[in-house]
Each structure stands twice: as C-alpha cells, then as structure tokens.
Amino acid sequence: MLPLMVESRIRHFKWEVNYLPWSPDCSTESLLIAINGHFPGPTIRARAGDAIVVELHNKLPTEGVFESPWADGTASISQCAINPEETFIYRFKVDKAGTYFYHGHHGMQRSAGLYGSLIVEVAEGKQEPFHYNAELSLLLSDWWHQSIYQQMVDLHSKPFRWIGEPQSLLIEGKGRHNCSLKAYEEDKNKDPDLVPTTLCPKNNKSECAPHVLQVEPNKTYRLRIASVTSLASLNFAFGNHKLVLVEADGSYIQPVTVESLDIYSGETYSLLLHTNQDPSTNYWASASIISRHPKTPPGLAILNYRPNPSSLLPRSAPPTPPKWNDTARAIAFARKIVADPLRNTNPPASAIHRIVLLNTQNKINGYTKWAINNVSLVLPATPYLGSIRYGLHSAFDFHTNPPEDFPENYDIFRPPQNPNATTGNAVYKLKLGSTVDVILQNANLLTEGTSEVHPWHLHGHDFWVLGFGDGRFNWQRDAARFNLKDPPRKNTVALFPYGWTAIRFVADNPGVWAFHCHIEPHLHMGMGVVIAEGVDRVRNVPRDVLGCGMTRRLIGPHGP
C-alpha cells in the first residue's frame, strides 16, 4: 500500500464490529462476528489510486480486533489490538486494480466470519484487457458449529484435539447442513406451485436460501471469486458451463479455459462466464472439497437464467468434483496459471538471498505443533514493527538468525526421526531492495503416509511463482527449470504433498511482514515466519498501534 495522496478520491466507511447470533447453514445457531450487522462484511469497492478510510469501532466485549491496512493488521507483527469499545481509523491507498478481500487476523476471527470483499477497479480512463457485460462476486468459506474459542482450546490441548472437518461450505455466507436435494425435490413434487426458499425444507428461513446469481442469456459476466476458508481447499464449478480465467490475486494472467477452478484459502480469481446454455432452466454452482478426504457436503448456489424464477430447480445434478487426492491433476491445474506477458513484468534473472522453508508437524513439550525448519512461531507481546523501529531488541529474539535451510539427511517421505521442535520468534532480516528466492518444502506429518496441502500467503508483497515439483528440492537440478518467461504474480500459492514450490520476490516494501500458511489452525499452531526489510525507513508510526507491550512506554503527549 502506498501513502495517501492529496489528489486521491476518498471513500469513507464507518464500521461497527459485533457478535451476531446466526445460522449460516440452516442448523445450530451460534455467534459469528459481523460488521454493521452483516455477514459477510460489507464490500469495499474503489478505483486504483483511491484513498480508503475505514472508521472501525470494536463492540466485541471480550476481544481485540486486528485489521489495519496501514500496517497490514497481523497480530503482534505490525500493531496492537483494537481493544473493546475503542475506535481505530484506517487510511490506505489502493494502488493496484484487482480482486481482493479483507479479514480479521487475530486468533481465529476469520473462522468466525470477520471477512468481506475488497474490489479495486481500474483507474479512471483505463480499461480492462477483456470484455464483459456485467459483474458478479462470490466469497467461499467453511463453517463449524463449534465456536472458535473451543477450537483454539482444542488446538492447544494435551492430548491434541483436532477441530475436525467443517460442517458446511458457504457460498456468499450461505450453506446447508443435514439436508439434501432430495428433500427439496420432494417438497416441489408435493406442491408444484410451492416456491421453497431453502434447500432445507424443515428449516424454511429466508436467510437459509441458497445464494442466487442472476444472469441473462447470451451475456458475458466477470465473476470475482475469493476463498476465505479456514481449512478447506476447494474446486468450484458451474453445471454445463466452462470458465475462462483472466486474473489471479490481482494480476492479469493469460486467459485459460477450464472446466472448473481449484482455489485455495487466500486466493482470488476473476473468471469470465458465458451464459450460452439452455435458457429455459437454471444451473448449479458448486464448491467441493479437494486435498482432504471430503466429509462435508458441497456448497451450492443457483445460477439463475432470467426470466426463470430463482426457485426453479436445475434439471441436472451439481457438477462432479475431481478426485480429492489427485495431486498430479492439482499440480497440472496450478501450472496452467501463467502471466499475461503484455501486462506483467518478468522477475529479476537471479536472486541474492535464498531461503528454504521445511514444513513439518512436530511435538513441543507433548503438544502438537507445526514448525518451519524445526521452529514453531510464537509471536511476542510487543509488535515487531514498533520494537524494531525504536530499537527495543529485547522484545523478541532479535539477535538470533532463524534457520534458512534444513539438514541434508532429512527424509521428507517419513515422519521425523526426532519429532521434537522448539518455539521461536526470530525474524528473517532482508536487505531492502534485494531479490529473494524462497523454496517451500513439504514433508510427511507425524503419522506415516500423510502430507497435506498448505496455501502460503505473503503479506506486503506480490511474488512470482517459479515452479512446482515432487520430492525434495535440489538447487542444481530444479532451479534450472524455473519459469522465468511468464511466471504468474500472486500473493498466495499452494504447496502440495511431498513436494516443493518456488517463489521469487523483491524486498521493496519497508516494514515487517508475515509469511504463513493461510489455513487458520495451522497458523495458530505455529506454521509461519516473519520477515523485516527497511524498517528504518518507516516514519510517522501512529500512536494507536504502539499501546501494548514494551512500546507502550514510548507514547508521550507528543507521540513516540
């Protein structure tokens, strides 16, 4: 994000964050976190170059809120919490058109519903490189009936208690649990004139109705889609329709036609949907779990061809998802995403800094944790940005250099011989302006024969995805095959089981940034690292973000 410019058009939002009793999947009512009484939260829409001002008042009585675009909003990294009954004003400039979203980054607030869409249109006078008649947007998420507070306790319990699979998948905040298409059809058969408002006839509440995407025949629609799931990797499809992908994580890609879309937590896409099918019926939109054994029913929405009523049940069944554990297919899909060379810059030809990050599951004092190079991240009480900027080096392990590789004899295909890891909060210190290669390396979990997908997200930067591979990464063999011709620019990328993913970025954004698995419980259990670059260049740190830990004493009558 760039500093505010005087000539920017200012878009002002006033938000109140509070608990809301809700049943997104027609089942048990529970508390979610809403903004201005809405779930999902309000959409922020602006043009590239606009300034956005969000005045947020925290009405949560028991917890703080993190979501500051000024300093990225990650807990204990860039700022302090917004305490109950406090107000914080975020000011930032959106400098790049694309499809994004915002979400809470404190504890597991994203799992509780604190998220919404952030859509940045091209600057005034500019045009997109593709044509469409109208625009739609979707947020995909997963939902548990158990509260996030119980989940956090379970994740830190001994013996370990896993949160389990989600009870439902939500499309634009709506899902289904313990109900079926068969029951919907039976209701219609009993009374052909009946217009059910939900896929769950036994709970016929309007808020449980499936989300409806209204379209007209023979048009082209741009669908902006984002995954804010806490755990699930998804495959999204429309019945009988193909998709043309044109944007990924805010960067243009070479248009590619696909039957369905693999989308991992933290990713965003724009796709073109041509409504060229039989206009006398409606069609299913479906989100199904991949990369984990699916124990959750697909999330369903209705693609409503007008003037058909939205209650008209599609004639065909929902799309059949790909096999959940077909890793070769998933990698092949990921390789289809390449940059539009006319609208993207190529990466630097080489990097001066190399880091290899081994993802493992470990034990620390009997607790199950995730670790990177055998270190499980535990964030300090004082946010890094303030402690580094003002020389409070005792606030965290400043003088330790975190490991930048792992032992050559480590067998990624077996559980670790020594499962014990350590905790740490050291920072990868990068030279401002340097080009950095990061190799994400996956491995076996504590259980024999298991390895999981991890979508990794880098704050504060886009990166180039240079390649994917099976097995252990080898610099001499695999670096020679990096895609330097048209690698996509993204901010989130999947790391596949027993494989590696290579990325390259330029450390050109002064600050302290999180780089972590975007699966909520994995980050909560330590799967992340922190990078710092050019912190001495950061000026005018707001007093509001310093009022905790050791930086609290810096706040005087005239600021730090």
Side-chain angles (χ1 to χ4, degrees), residues 99 130-138 140 213 220-226 235-238 241-249 251 253 255-263 268-274 285 303 333 337:
T99 304
F130 41 82
H131 170 77
Y132 54 96
N133 300 109
E135 184 176 302
L136 305 166
S137 64
L138 284 181
L140 308 179
L213 294 157
T220 298
Y221 290 84
R222 177 185 188 166
L223 175 63
R224 298 179 184 265
I225 188 168
N235 179 266
F236 179 84
F238 287 107
H241 292 72
K242 293 185 177 181
L243 312 173
V244 181
L245 308 183
V246 293
E247 176 216 339
D249 291 356
S251 293
I253 61 175
V256 56
T257 301
V258 296
E259 300 288 338
S260 61
L261 168 69
D262 287 355
I263 183 167
T268 65
Y269 284 93
S270 280
L271 55 91
L272 300 182
L273 173 70
H274 303 298
L303 183 65
F333 180 91
I337 310 301

Side-chain angles (χ1 to χ4, degrees), residues 463-542:
F463 51 73
W464 291 273
V465 181
L466 302 185
F468 306 90
D470 298 321
R472 179 165 180 160
F473 180 82
N474 178 283
W475 280 107
Q476 184 173 2
R477 178 193 65 220
D478 296 320
R481 297 184 294 172
F482 283 169
N483 176 17
L484 301 180
K485 177 185 176 183
D486 53 10
R489 293 200 72 176
K490 298 183 91 270
N491 57 55
T492 304
V493 68
L495 172 62
F496 295 100
Y498 298 112
W500 54 265
T501 298
I503 68 170
R504 179 172 293 173
F505 70 96
V506 179
D508 57 0
N509 194 1
V512 185
W513 309 103
F515 185 34
H516 62 88
C517 177
H518 211 262
I519 291 176
E520 196 86 299
H522 289 186
L523 172 60
H524 203 65
M525 296 164 64
M527 187 180 282
V529 298
V530 179
I531 65 174
E533 61 204 65
V535 180
D536 59 310
R537 301 282 188 93
V538 177
R539 295 287 185 267
N540 303 319
V541 180

Side-chain angles (χ1 to χ4, degrees), residues 15 35 41-44 67 100-104 114-118 228:
W15 287 356
I35 299 175
T43 295
I44 294 177
E67 187 52 48
Y100 309 98
F101 64 92
Y102 62 87
H103 66 84
L114 187 52
Y115 53 76
S117 294
L118 171 58
V228 293

Side-chain angles (χ1 to χ4, degrees), residues 348-354 434-438 466 475 503-505:
S350 60
I352 65 171
H353 198 152
R354 292 176 169 180
S434 62
T435 302
V436 184
D437 277 357
V438 177
L466 302 185
W475 280 107
I503 68 170
R504 179 172 293 173
F505 70 96

Side-chain angles (χ1 to χ4, degrees), residues 234-474:
L234 301 175
N235 179 266
F236 179 84
F238 287 107
N240 291 47
H241 292 72
K242 293 185 177 181
L243 312 173
V244 181
L245 308 183
V246 293
E247 176 216 339
D249 291 356
S251 293
Y252 296 123
I253 61 175
Q254 292 186 33
V256 56
T257 301
V258 296
E259 300 288 338
S260 61
L261 168 69
D262 287 355
I263 183 167
Y264 300 90
S265 178
E267 288 190 317
T268 65
Y269 284 93
S270 280
L271 55 91
L272 300 182
L273 173 70
H274 303 298
T275 54
N276 53 9
Q277 298 302 302
D278 181 357
S280 67
T281 186
N282 294 333
Y283 299 86
W284 291 115
S286 176
S288 303
I289 287 179
I290 56 173
S291 85
R292 303 180 67 86
H293 193 286
K295 300 177 181 178
T296 309
L300 295 175
I302 292 178
L303 183 65
N304 175 209
Y305 269 62
R306 301 298 304 272
N308 298 327
S310 61
S311 59
L312 178 65
L313 194 68
R315 295 174 191 154
S316 56
T320 301
K323 191 175 180 181
W324 69 271
N325 57 353
D326 189 347
T327 300
R329 184 211 63 84
I331 294 176
F333 180 91
R335 287 177 173 151
K336 292 179 181 179
I337 310 301
V338 296
D340 180 343
L342 298 179
R343 296 169 180 84
N344 287 276
T345 57
N346 286 334
S350 60
I352 65 171
H353 198 152
R354 292 176 169 180
I355 302 172
V356 181
L357 302 178
L358 175 68
N359 294 232
T360 56
Q361 194 178 57
N362 299 85
K363 292 285 187 178
I364 299 179
N365 298 324
Y367 294 91
T368 301
K369 299 291 183 182
W370 289 97
I372 303 301
N373 292 347
N374 215 46
V375 179
S376 185
L377 179 64
V378 176
L379 296 171
T382 304
Y384 289 101
L385 184 65
S387 58
I388 296 176
R389 175 66 181 82
Y390 298 107
L392 305 175
H393 295 164
S394 61
F396 69 100
D397 199 356
F398 179 83
H399 299 288
T400 296
N401 293 319
E404 298 192 353
D405 208 335
F406 62 98
E408 291 185 5
N409 62 353
Y410 190 96
D411 186 353
I412 68 164
F413 296 102
R414 298 277 185 180
Q417 290 184 349
N418 178 4
N420 296 314
T422 60
T423 59
N425 57 27
V427 171
Y428 289 91
K429 306 176 189 71
L430 305 179
K431 181 180 178 182
L432 187 65
S434 62
T435 302
V436 184
D437 277 357
V438 177
I439 307 300
L440 297 165
Q441 176 69 65
N442 216 339
N444 200 96
L445 278 62
L446 288 170
T447 304
E448 183 80 35
T450 56
S451 184
E452 297 184 355
V453 167
H454 301 290
W456 272 77
H457 173 65
L458 177 60
H459 290 235
H461 306 75
D462 285 337
F463 51 73
W464 291 273
V465 181
L466 302 185
F468 306 90
D470 298 321
R472 179 165 180 160
F473 180 82
N474 178 283

